[in-house]
Amino acid sequence: MSTTLTAPRPTRATPQARVGARRRRTLSWIATHAIAVALAAMFLGPLVLVSLTALMSDEQALTGNLWPESFAWSNFADVFAKSHLLGWTLNTLLYAGLGTLFMLLSSVPVAYALARFRFRGRGLAFLLVITAMMLPPQVIAVPIYLVWARVGLTDTLWPLILPMLLGDAFSIFLLRQFLITIPRDYTDAARVDGCSDLRTLVRVILPMARPAIAAVALFQFFYCWNDYYGPLLYTGINQDNWTLSLGLATFKAFHSVQWNLTMAATLLVTAPVIIVFFFAQRVFIEGVTLTGVKG
């Protein structure tokens, strides 16, 4: 006579047990990421305050109320009406776009030469690059300004854009540190196949160095977007060539008591940079942290 064994039916968790388990998971997550949550709150706090102030009326912006009584979306339209924000944006895009492009065209070959070629004086050349990184721009501002004044390019953005054709010290350093980690077997195999140095750079090295190139491009773009000293030095008189940083500073000076308009203008200026970094953060972090070819 055979007997059949039946497996015990699993007991369903009660609603109270499910709520308790969910609460324990939440508390465990908070305990694990407490420091990250605190840092995120510290960084997001000013941005939230700026956003809320930008949506307040003139009267409420001068009070201690943190939440807008009525969302004044018209503040953003007032910023465009009372400033040349669109023109400043186009100037900034021209400065940042051409500056980043010229920097890449000039810095990548120099970094490749310092990382791959063996020539006399290579160590001295790399030492000059490091020295240029530590040299404050204010030290050479007067002689360089006199040079641009003699060729008649002051009051324009070209004194800020054209020097990028000579390379950027920080970008050369970062790219060189990345390129020396790429195994030489790839370049040696390309030379065996008959590739020249230029073709090896374009067809072999550049695809491997894409994260580093993206990282230095973002660094340069953000620097040009936030640059205040350069536009103030060269375009301070000609308002038609002002960038967003210089225009925003002037807008704050004229509307210092209208905190809602000032915060609305600040939000409009910083929003594009935040959006670009949000979508490019993975490539940016890879370019800074990776050390060559993935294993």
Side-chain angles (χ1 to χ4, degrees):
M1 184 176 179
S2 60
T3 59
T4 58
L5 299 177
T6 59
R9 296 181 178 178
T11 59
R12 294 183 177 180
T14 61
Q16 293 80 5
R18 288 197 297 270
V19 172
R22 191 181 303 112
R23 184 177 303 172
R24 285 192 296 271
R25 287 195 299 269
T26 303
L27 293 176
S28 176
W29 186 90
I30 294 176
T32 305
H33 303 84
I35 298 179
V37 171
L39 292 176
M42 291 174 57
F43 282 102
L44 292 177
L47 183 60
V48 173
L49 183 61
V50 169
S51 302
L52 293 177
T53 307
L55 296 174
M56 294 181 182
S57 61
D58 290 339
E59 295 78 10
Q60 187 183 0
L62 298 176
T63 63
N65 298 330
L66 298 179
W67 190 260
E69 297 176 355
S70 61
F71 291 92
W73 298 100
S74 59
N75 291 336
F76 297 99
D78 293 340
V79 171
F80 282 95
K82 296 181 179 180
S83 67
H84 301 282
L85 189 64
L86 184 59
W88 299 341
T89 304
L90 294 177
N91 293 334
T92 306
L93 289 175
L94 176 66
Y95 174 28
L98 290 181
T100 302
L101 178 62
F102 290 170
M103 180 276 299
L104 291 177
L105 292 176
S106 58
S107 299
V108 172
V110 176
Y112 176 68
L114 292 176
R116 292 300 179 183
F117 295 165
R118 301 289 183 182
F119 57 91
R120 182 177 298 179
R122 187 180 71 160
L124 178 60
F126 185 61
L127 181 62
L128 292 177
V129 171
I130 297 177
T131 304
M133 290 174 54
M134 297 183 294
L135 187 65
Q138 292 80 5
V139 175
I140 57 176
V142 174
I144 291 181
Y145 183 87
L146 294 178
V147 171
W148 291 114
R150 289 184 179 181
V151 297
L153 288 180
T154 54
D155 296 335
T156 66
L157 291 173
W158 292 114
L160 301 174
I161 298 174
L162 293 179
M164 292 296 103
L165 288 172
L166 303 178
D168 177 68
F170 176 75
S171 301
I172 293 173
F173 172 79
L174 190 61
L175 287 170
R176 185 257 182 188
Q177 296 304 107
F178 189 94
L179 293 179
I180 60 177
T181 61
I182 298 178
R184 289 185 174 271
D185 297 339
Y186 293 96
T187 54
D188 294 340
R191 290 192 181 96
V192 170
D193 292 337
C195 291
S196 62
D197 291 327
L198 180 59
R199 189 175 182 183
T200 301
L201 172 63
V202 175
R203 303 295 293 273
V204 178
I205 298 300
L206 291 185
M208 293 182 178
R210 194 175 302 166
I213 294 174
V216 297
L218 286 174
F219 271 124
Q220 185 64 33
F221 184 85
F222 291 157
Y223 170 79
C224 295
W225 188 275
N226 297 320
D227 186 18
Y228 175 77
Y229 176 76
L232 176 64
L233 180 63
Y234 290 105
T235 66
I237 299 177
N238 190 358
Q239 299 184 13
D240 295 333
N241 291 324
W242 281 4
T243 58
L244 283 173
S245 57
L246 184 58
L248 179 62
T250 307
F251 184 84
K252 289 181 179 179
F254 281 102
H255 302 275
S256 58
V257 295
Q258 293 177 297
W259 287 104
N260 55 337
L261 296 183
T262 301
M263 295 299 104
T266 302
L267 192 62
L268 290 173
V269 172
T270 57
V273 178
I274 296 175
I275 294 173
V276 170
F277 183 78
F278 178 80
F279 286 103
Q281 59 179 330
R282 183 181 62 84
V283 179
F284 179 79
I285 295 173
E286 283 183 0
V288 176
T289 58
L290 288 182
T291 56
V293 183
K294 295 181 180 179

mmCIF file of all heavy atoms in Angstrom, residues 5 14 16 25 27 37 49 51 62 65 69 73-74 115 117 142-143 178 191 196 202 211 225 232 238 247 262 268 274:
data_model
loop_
_atom_site.group_PDB
_atom_site.id
_atom_site.type_symbol
_atom_site.label_atom_id
_atom_site.label_comp_id
_atom_site.label_asym_id
_atom_site.label_seq_id
_atom_site.Cartn_x
_atom_site.Cartn_y
_atom_site.Cartn_z
ATOM 1 N N LEU A 5 2.788 11.761 -0.541
ATOM 2 C CA LEU A 5 3.102 12.896 0.331
ATOM 3 C C LEU A 5 2.777 14.197 -0.385
ATOM 4 O O LEU A 5 3.133 14.385 -1.547
ATOM 5 C CB LEU A 5 4.584 12.889 0.719
ATOM 6 C CG LEU A 5 5.055 11.647 1.506
ATOM 7 C CD1 LEU A 5 6.543 11.738 1.767
ATOM 8 C CD2 LEU A 5 4.286 11.544 2.824
ATOM 9 N N THR A 14 0.722 38.115 5.514
ATOM 10 C CA THR A 14 -0.357 39.036 5.840
ATOM 11 C C THR A 14 0.006 40.446 5.394
ATOM 12 O O THR A 14 1.183 40.763 5.180
ATOM 13 C CB THR A 14 -0.620 39.023 7.348
ATOM 14 O OG1 THR A 14 0.577 39.462 8.024
ATOM 15 C CG2 THR A 14 -0.978 37.611 7.810
ATOM 16 N N GLN A 16 0.095 43.085 7.112
ATOM 17 C CA GLN A 16 0.979 43.705 8.099
ATOM 18 C C GLN A 16 2.409 43.239 7.933
ATOM 19 O O GLN A 16 3.368 44.018 8.054
ATOM 20 C CB GLN A 16 0.486 43.376 9.529
ATOM 21 C CG GLN A 16 -0.842 44.003 9.907
ATOM 22 C CD GLN A 16 -2.029 43.237 9.333
ATOM 23 O OE1 GLN A 16 -1.844 42.170 8.727
ATOM 24 N NE2 GLN A 16 -3.244 43.757 9.542
ATOM 25 N N ARG A 25 13.161 47.018 4.514
ATOM 26 C CA ARG A 25 14.010 47.238 3.334
ATOM 27 C C ARG A 25 14.296 48.725 3.131
ATOM 28 O O ARG A 25 15.413 49.118 2.776
ATOM 29 C CB ARG A 25 13.333 46.660 2.095
ATOM 30 C CG ARG A 25 13.338 45.136 2.043
ATOM 31 C CD ARG A 25 12.997 44.658 0.644
ATOM 32 N NE ARG A 25 11.669 45.090 0.228
ATOM 33 C CZ ARG A 25 10.550 44.384 0.405
ATOM 34 N NH1 ARG A 25 10.610 43.192 1.021
ATOM 35 N NH2 ARG A 25 9.383 44.844 -0.006
ATOM 36 N N LEU A 27 14.332 51.118 5.492
ATOM 37 C CA LEU A 27 15.267 51.573 6.528
ATOM 38 C C LEU A 27 16.684 51.053 6.271
ATOM 39 O O LEU A 27 17.668 51.759 6.504
ATOM 40 C CB LEU A 27 14.779 51.112 7.904
ATOM 41 C CG LEU A 27 13.472 51.752 8.398
ATOM 42 C CD1 LEU A 27 13.054 51.145 9.731
ATOM 43 C CD2 LEU A 27 13.631 53.267 8.532
ATOM 44 N N VAL A 37 22.756 60.106 0.639
ATOM 45 C CA VAL A 37 21.514 60.884 0.706
ATOM 46 C C VAL A 37 21.783 62.270 1.283
ATOM 47 O O VAL A 37 21.260 63.281 0.789
ATOM 48 C CB VAL A 37 20.468 60.125 1.538
ATOM 49 C CG1 VAL A 37 19.252 61.000 1.807
ATOM 50 C CG2 VAL A 37 20.039 58.844 0.827
ATOM 51 N N LEU A 49 16.010 75.633 -3.928
ATOM 52 C CA LEU A 49 15.713 76.984 -3.448
ATOM 53 C C LEU A 49 15.702 77.988 -4.595
ATOM 54 O O LEU A 49 14.827 78.869 -4.659
ATOM 55 C CB LEU A 49 16.747 77.392 -2.393
ATOM 56 C CG LEU A 49 16.541 78.766 -1.738
ATOM 57 C CD1 LEU A 49 15.199 78.816 -1.014
ATOM 58 C CD2 LEU A 49 17.676 79.079 -0.781
ATOM 59 N N SER A 51 15.050 77.293 -7.737
ATOM 60 C CA SER A 51 13.877 77.011 -8.568
ATOM 61 C C SER A 51 12.602 77.569 -7.949
ATOM 62 O O SER A 51 11.759 78.140 -8.647
ATOM 63 C CB SER A 51 13.745 75.501 -8.784
ATOM 64 O OG SER A 51 14.910 74.962 -9.390
ATOM 65 N N LEU A 62 10.955 88.642 -1.484
ATOM 66 C CA LEU A 62 11.651 89.373 -0.422
ATOM 67 C C LEU A 62 11.225 88.928 0.964
ATOM 68 O O LEU A 62 11.707 89.483 1.954
ATOM 69 C CB LEU A 62 11.406 90.876 -0.584
ATOM 70 C CG LEU A 62 11.930 91.504 -1.893
ATOM 71 C CD1 LEU A 62 11.540 92.972 -1.963
ATOM 72 C CD2 LEU A 62 13.443 91.344 -1.982
ATOM 73 N N ASN A 65 9.038 83.244 3.037
ATOM 74 C CA ASN A 65 8.274 82.091 2.565
ATOM 75 C C ASN A 65 9.084 81.315 1.522
ATOM 76 O O ASN A 65 9.635 81.906 0.589
ATOM 77 C CB ASN A 65 6.945 82.542 1.950
ATOM 78 C CG ASN A 65 6.060 83.232 2.960
ATOM 79 O OD1 ASN A 65 6.128 82.927 4.157
ATOM 80 N ND2 ASN A 65 5.246 84.171 2.519
ATOM 81 N N GLU A 69 3.359 81.207 -3.394
ATOM 82 C CA GLU A 69 1.915 81.276 -3.218
ATOM 83 C C GLU A 69 1.197 81.049 -4.545
ATOM 84 O O GLU A 69 0.152 80.415 -4.596
ATOM 85 C CB GLU A 69 1.546 82.644 -2.628
ATOM 86 C CG GLU A 69 2.143 82.885 -1.240
ATOM 87 C CD GLU A 69 1.835 84.271 -0.731
ATOM 88 O OE1 GLU A 69 1.238 85.067 -1.513
ATOM 89 O OE2 GLU A 69 2.196 84.584 0.415
ATOM 90 N N TRP A 73 5.102 81.805 -13.682
ATOM 91 C CA TRP A 73 5.882 81.336 -14.817
ATOM 92 C C TRP A 73 6.276 82.475 -15.741
ATOM 93 O O TRP A 73 7.187 82.320 -16.577
ATOM 94 C CB TRP A 73 5.084 80.297 -15.596
ATOM 95 C CG TRP A 73 4.753 79.069 -14.802
ATOM 96 C CD1 TRP A 73 3.574 78.767 -14.191
ATOM 97 C CD2 TRP A 73 5.630 77.977 -14.511
ATOM 98 N NE1 TRP A 73 3.652 77.564 -13.536
ATOM 99 C CE2 TRP A 73 4.900 77.045 -13.728
ATOM 100 C CE3 TRP A 73 6.949 77.691 -14.844
ATOM 101 C CZ2 TRP A 73 5.460 75.862 -13.264
ATOM 102 C CZ3 TRP A 73 7.525 76.511 -14.379
ATOM 103 C CH2 TRP A 73 6.783 75.611 -13.601
ATOM 104 N N SER A 74 5.638 83.613 -15.597
ATOM 105 C CA SER A 74 5.957 84.751 -16.454
ATOM 106 C C SER A 74 7.333 85.344 -16.146
ATOM 107 O O SER A 74 7.841 86.165 -16.917
ATOM 108 C CB SER A 74 4.895 85.842 -16.294
ATOM 109 O OG SER A 74 4.811 86.276 -14.942
ATOM 110 N N ALA A 115 52.816 60.557 -25.805
ATOM 111 C CA ALA A 115 52.576 59.223 -25.263
ATOM 112 C C ALA A 115 53.265 58.124 -26.059
ATOM 113 O O ALA A 115 53.633 57.082 -25.491
ATOM 114 C CB ALA A 115 51.076 58.943 -25.202
ATOM 115 N N PHE A 117 55.678 58.668 -29.166
ATOM 116 C CA PHE A 117 56.921 58.899 -29.887
ATOM 117 C C PHE A 117 58.096 59.008 -28.924
ATOM 118 O O PHE A 117 57.959 59.524 -27.814
ATOM 119 C CB PHE A 117 56.827 60.168 -30.737
ATOM 120 C CG PHE A 117 55.811 60.077 -31.841
ATOM 121 C CD1 PHE A 117 55.370 61.214 -32.500
ATOM 122 C CD2 PHE A 117 55.279 58.854 -32.222
ATOM 123 C CE1 PHE A 117 54.437 61.134 -33.513
ATOM 124 C CE2 PHE A 117 54.335 58.750 -33.232
ATOM 125 C CZ PHE A 117 53.927 59.903 -33.877
ATOM 126 N N VAL A 142 48.162 90.673 -19.475
ATOM 127 C CA VAL A 142 48.493 91.980 -20.053
ATOM 128 C C VAL A 142 49.249 91.852 -21.372
ATOM 129 O O VAL A 142 48.861 92.467 -22.379
ATOM 130 C CB VAL A 142 49.288 92.825 -19.031
ATOM 131 C CG1 VAL A 142 49.762 94.130 -19.684
ATOM 132 C CG2 VAL A 142 48.428 93.131 -17.808
ATOM 133 N N PRO A 143 50.337 91.073 -21.460
ATOM 134 C CA PRO A 143 51.016 90.987 -22.771
ATOM 135 C C PRO A 143 50.156 90.350 -23.863
ATOM 136 O O PRO A 143 50.214 90.792 -25.020
ATOM 137 C CB PRO A 143 52.252 90.124 -22.464
ATOM 138 C CG PRO A 143 51.942 89.427 -21.199
ATOM 139 C CD PRO A 143 51.069 90.337 -20.425
ATOM 140 N N PHE A 178 45.993 58.927 -20.507
ATOM 141 C CA PHE A 178 45.119 57.860 -20.986
ATOM 142 C C PHE A 178 45.782 57.057 -22.102
ATOM 143 O O PHE A 178 45.711 55.828 -22.132
ATOM 144 C CB PHE A 178 43.799 58.453 -21.487
ATOM 145 C CG PHE A 178 42.745 57.434 -21.816
ATOM 146 C CD1 PHE A 178 41.800 57.063 -20.882
ATOM 147 C CD2 PHE A 178 42.704 56.845 -23.068
ATOM 148 C CE1 PHE A 178 40.830 56.116 -21.185
ATOM 149 C CE2 PHE A 178 41.741 55.906 -23.385
ATOM 150 C CZ PHE A 178 40.805 55.534 -22.438
ATOM 151 N N ARG A 191 51.274 49.474 -37.743
ATOM 152 C CA ARG A 191 52.444 49.816 -38.558
ATOM 153 C C ARG A 191 52.867 48.642 -39.431
ATOM 154 O O ARG A 191 53.319 48.829 -40.565
ATOM 155 C CB ARG A 191 53.584 50.251 -37.644
ATOM 156 C CG ARG A 191 53.351 51.597 -36.960
ATOM 157 C CD ARG A 191 54.611 52.114 -36.302
ATOM 158 N NE ARG A 191 54.383 53.381 -35.639
ATOM 159 C CZ ARG A 191 54.109 53.502 -34.346
ATOM 160 N NH1 ARG A 191 54.027 52.410 -33.592
ATOM 161 N NH2 ARG A 191 53.918 54.686 -33.808
ATOM 162 N N SER A 196 50.374 54.645 -41.586
ATOM 163 C CA SER A 196 51.221 55.743 -41.149
ATOM 164 C C SER A 196 50.838 56.155 -39.732
ATOM 165 O O SER A 196 49.845 55.672 -39.168
ATOM 166 C CB SER A 196 51.078 56.926 -42.101
ATOM 167 O OG SER A 196 49.738 57.402 -42.095
ATOM 168 N N VAL A 202 44.151 57.979 -36.271
ATOM 169 C CA VAL A 202 42.740 58.148 -36.623
ATOM 170 C C VAL A 202 41.977 56.832 -36.559
ATOM 171 O O VAL A 202 40.853 56.764 -36.044
ATOM 172 C CB VAL A 202 42.625 58.774 -38.023
ATOM 173 C CG1 VAL A 202 41.161 58.858 -38.459
ATOM 174 C CG2 VAL A 202 43.243 60.173 -38.032
ATOM 175 N N PRO A 211 36.392 57.536 -24.697
ATOM 176 C CA PRO A 211 35.962 58.057 -23.380
ATOM 177 C C PRO A 211 36.807 59.220 -22.896
ATOM 178 O O PRO A 211 36.278 60.195 -22.353
ATOM 179 C CB PRO A 211 36.094 56.832 -22.468
ATOM 180 C CG PRO A 211 36.027 55.656 -23.372
ATOM 181 C CD PRO A 211 36.686 56.096 -24.634
ATOM 182 N N TRP A 225 31.669 77.560 -21.041
ATOM 183 C CA TRP A 225 30.309 77.985 -20.685
ATOM 184 C C TRP A 225 30.305 78.831 -19.414
ATOM 185 O O TRP A 225 29.539 79.794 -19.306
ATOM 186 C CB TRP A 225 29.435 76.747 -20.488
ATOM 187 C CG TRP A 225 27.983 77.067 -20.304
ATOM 188 C CD1 TRP A 225 27.347 77.404 -19.137
ATOM 189 C CD2 TRP A 225 26.967 77.082 -21.325
ATOM 190 N NE1 TRP A 225 26.013 77.619 -19.359
ATOM 191 C CE2 TRP A 225 25.748 77.432 -20.694
ATOM 192 C CE3 TRP A 225 26.978 76.820 -22.692
ATOM 193 C CZ2 TRP A 225 24.561 77.526 -21.395
ATOM 194 C CZ3 TRP A 225 25.790 76.924 -23.389
ATOM 195 C CH2 TRP A 225 24.608 77.265 -22.743
ATOM 196 N N LEU A 232 35.032 89.017 -19.762
ATOM 197 C CA LEU A 232 35.112 90.332 -19.128
ATOM 198 C C LEU A 232 36.326 91.102 -19.616
ATOM 199 O O LEU A 232 36.266 92.328 -19.808
ATOM 200 C CB LEU A 232 35.175 90.166 -17.609
ATOM 201 C CG LEU A 232 35.352 91.444 -16.777
ATOM 202 C CD1 LEU A 232 34.139 92.362 -16.945
ATOM 203 C CD2 LEU A 232 35.568 91.103 -15.309
ATOM 204 N N ASN A 238 31.927 95.776 -25.543
ATOM 205 C CA ASN A 238 30.972 95.435 -26.592
ATOM 206 C C ASN A 238 29.940 94.452 -26.042
ATOM 207 O O ASN A 238 30.207 93.260 -25.888
ATOM 208 C CB ASN A 238 31.715 94.821 -27.786
ATOM 209 C CG ASN A 238 30.818 94.660 -28.994
ATOM 210 O OD1 ASN A 238 29.619 94.970 -28.958
ATOM 211 N ND2 ASN A 238 31.385 94.167 -30.082
ATOM 212 N N GLY A 247 26.842 88.323 -18.995
ATOM 213 C CA GLY A 247 25.508 88.906 -19.045
ATOM 214 C C GLY A 247 24.715 88.662 -17.782
ATOM 215 O O GLY A 247 23.974 89.539 -17.321
ATOM 216 N N THR A 262 16.219 87.365 -10.847
ATOM 217 C CA THR A 262 17.622 86.954 -10.782
ATOM 218 C C THR A 262 17.745 85.434 -10.723
ATOM 219 O O THR A 262 18.573 84.831 -11.415
ATOM 220 C CB THR A 262 18.301 87.586 -9.556
ATOM 221 O OG1 THR A 262 18.203 89.011 -9.642
ATOM 222 C CG2 THR A 262 19.756 87.183 -9.482
ATOM 223 N N LEU A 268 17.925 79.555 -15.904
ATOM 224 C CA LEU A 268 18.007 79.410 -17.352
ATOM 225 C C LEU A 268 19.447 79.218 -17.821
ATOM 226 O O LEU A 268 19.705 78.498 -18.794
ATOM 227 C CB LEU A 268 17.398 80.630 -18.041
ATOM 228 C CG LEU A 268 15.876 80.783 -17.941
ATOM 229 C CD1 LEU A 268 15.439 82.126 -18.518
ATOM 230 C CD2 LEU A 268 15.173 79.646 -18.667
ATOM 231 N N ILE A 274 23.455 71.396 -16.739
ATOM 232 C CA ILE A 274 22.983 70.252 -15.958
ATOM 233 C C ILE A 274 22.413 69.181 -16.884
ATOM 234 O O ILE A 274 22.660 67.975 -16.690
ATOM 235 C CB ILE A 274 21.926 70.723 -14.939
ATOM 236 C CG1 ILE A 274 22.553 71.688 -13.932
ATOM 237 C CG2 ILE A 274 21.300 69.523 -14.221
ATOM 238 C CD1 ILE A 274 21.556 72.295 -12.963
#
